[in-house]
Amino acid sequence: MMRLTNYLCLPVALLAALFAGACGSVDIDEEGMDEVDGTEAPTVVTRVDPATAATVTGKVYFEGDLPRARRLAMDAEPACAGLHTGPVYSEVVVPNDNKTLQHVFVYVKEGLEGMMFETPAAPAVLDQKGCIYLPHMLGVQVNQPVRILNSDPTTHNVHPTPRNNREWNESMAPGIPPKMKKFPREEVMIPVKCNVHPWMKSYIGVLSHPFFSVTGGDGSFEITGLPPGEYTLEIWHEYLKEGVTTQKVTLAASESKSVEFTLKQAS
Amino acid sequence: MNHSLPTSIGSAGSYHYFAVLTACFTFLLIVAGALVTGNEAGLSVPDWPLSYGSLNPPWEGNIRYEHGHRMVAAFVGLLTIALAVWVWKKETRGPVRKLGWIALGVVVAQGILGGVTVLWYLPAPISVLHACLAQAFFCLVVSLAWLSSPAWERRVRDRSPGLPLNRLAMATAGAIYLQLLLGAIFRHTQSGILPHLLGALLVTLLAGWLIARMFLSPQASSGLTGAATLLGVLLALQLLLGLASWLLRLAAADAVQPEFPVVAVTTAHVAVGALLLANGVILALQSWGVQAGERRAESGLPATPVNP
């Protein structure tokens, strides 16, 4: 629908571009967007009793060989290269010493149907620092504010390329105030790219609930505050797609369980 | 097929060198555009027609490629306006006179398409159209340069009805253009390479046949064989560049940013493709003159010298 609307707007876009030169600054705040679909959304916020809340922890392992870490070629960009004292490597595949992986998005895929969770007012933060995105992978809730910073002394553009949300592309000069953005539709994952520095990539997972996590330096994750129930957990990695990527887990009141995932290169 | 192009260029020669200059800058523009695509720089400047709200944006990262492309494009647009006016003022041949205005219309449309690609975040159909219209514009400017040249005056004074070589030259130029379209689709949509490979086969067959005909022509002067040789060299170079760019792309499948060898070779592939097309268009245009020479030779008349 969005695509069709875009194409129908061709004459308007052309006229605006030709005579006003203002298309690049069109306000693309996501708040006024349509609902995701026609299904009836729950209207009562689910409150999880802290006394019965359950927890899932675990680790994401890898098996087999991994692609070698790629050094980012920032040499042509002194404003970026000068921000680092040593070589900078791609964060696409980051293994840990314990055969686990960083930057794996872990989330509850099934088991929360019919529940609605409060949208956090506190913004998630996505920074551009040292000409890389921090964090590399980010989880937010639907309509949760995302505060986007440019901490670098160089110009970036921020360009998410979603499938279910609206695409936008905005510049961020050095010292510019943070941008506040929202994503009104669930989507795992939204690639975010800086086209000025094409090695800069980040991913944002947008969910209707707060039960997600991203693996860190020891490959572990923790999802807390879950209501008792039966869930399907799924993981997402930007490069490794094969292996054990889903797990079913049943949680009793106050129970804590651990699950493991394993990823490997496509054969 | 209409073969009634007037032969006398009259005072049109006055704009010939300006048309050549415009063609050179158009070639540079095609190279700049290929660099934008190769470096994934198309959206490094989010706004249009200005760049970061300015005519002089920060000259950083990929902005260099995108804004550089826009600057060359603007200059080519200005050159084309001047060329169209010049052609209109000096050209006496009706069909050629129209070419100047058509070129201007195409370059304006091309500029708008470039803006639309930015504002709509590089939709593949628009990007493909933008790439192909660039080549069409290049053909138009090359045609203007050729049709206003002293060489055209010499070679096509004796017109003749179309003969197989004429049609073959036209078919070859058309196949090259089709192949550029298939290449643009492959590049901008990440679709399979098979159509592009089949296009390469078609171009190779047609161009090979044309080259053979040119060498075997009764009028196989050094100029004609030279043109055939140039076509063959460009074709061979283009096939090699195509193979190299494909292999490099496969090798760089896991690259985290555009890599110089891939960008350099794919850009060269686009550039040589443009030269091949221009060569095909010139051969198609001059085949009128060649055919006239052949007809005259067959009828026992002294052949018109053919020195492409």
Side-chain angles (χ1 to χ4, degrees), chain A residues 169-190:
Chain A
N169 180 22
E170 295 186 23
S171 61
M172 289 194 77
I176 195 173
K179 289 183 181 294
M180 299 296 283
K181 294 291 178 183
K182 293 178 179 177
F183 297 95
R185 293 173 168 84
E186 279 196 295
E187 188 164 349
V188 178
M189 305 286 287
I190 299 176

Side-chain angles (χ1 to χ4, degrees), chain B residues 231-305:
Chain B
L231 180 62
V233 168
L234 283 174
L235 179 64
L237 181 60
Q238 182 66 343
L239 290 172
L240 283 175
L241 286 169
L243 178 65
S245 60
W246 187 37
L247 293 175
L248 283 170
R249 276 172 67 119
L250 290 177
D254 293 335
V256 293
Q257 64 193 99
E259 295 186 346
F260 176 76
V262 181
V263 175
V265 173
T266 50
T267 301
H269 189 48
V270 172
V272 175
L275 292 178
L276 195 59
L277 178 64
N279 187 263
V281 167
I282 289 173
L283 282 175
L285 287 173
Q286 78 178 40
S287 63
W288 275 287
V290 173
Q291 293 307 326
E294 287 183 349
R295 178 62 64 86
R296 288 166 68 88
E298 286 164 8
S299 63
L301 294 170
T304 304

Side-chain angles (χ1 to χ4, degrees), chain B residues 140-156:
Chain B
L140 284 168
V141 178
V142 165
S143 298
L144 277 170
W146 181 254
L147 292 168
S148 59
S149 67
W152 171 264
E153 174 82 356
R154 284 196 305 273
R155 287 176 189 142
V156 298

Side-chain angles (χ1 to χ4, degrees), chain A residues 6-7 10 13-14 17 21 23-24 70 72-73 76-77 90 92 154-155 157 159 167-171 193 195-196 198-199 201 239, chain B residues 39-41 43-49 52 58 60-64 112 116 119-121 123 125 251-252 254-259:
Chain A
N6 280 345
Y7 279 92
L10 172 61
L14 293 181
C23 278
R70 300 264 186 162
L72 301 179
E77 302 304 325
S90 160
V92 173
T154 188
T155 301
N157 74 307
H159 178 206
E167 186 172 355
W168 49 269
N169 180 22
E170 295 186 23
S171 61
K193 183 174 182 179
N195 301 94
V196 179
W199 62 81
K201 293 186 180 77
Y239 181 80
Chain B
N39 286 291
E40 301 174 11
L43 294 176
S44 59
V45 179
D47 53 338
W48 182 87
Y52 288 82
E60 297 169 4
N62 273 348
I63 299 171
R64 287 187 283 252
I112 292 172
V116 170
L119 299 177
W120 288 2
Y121 317 119
D254 293 335
V256 293
Q257 64 193 99
E259 295 186 346

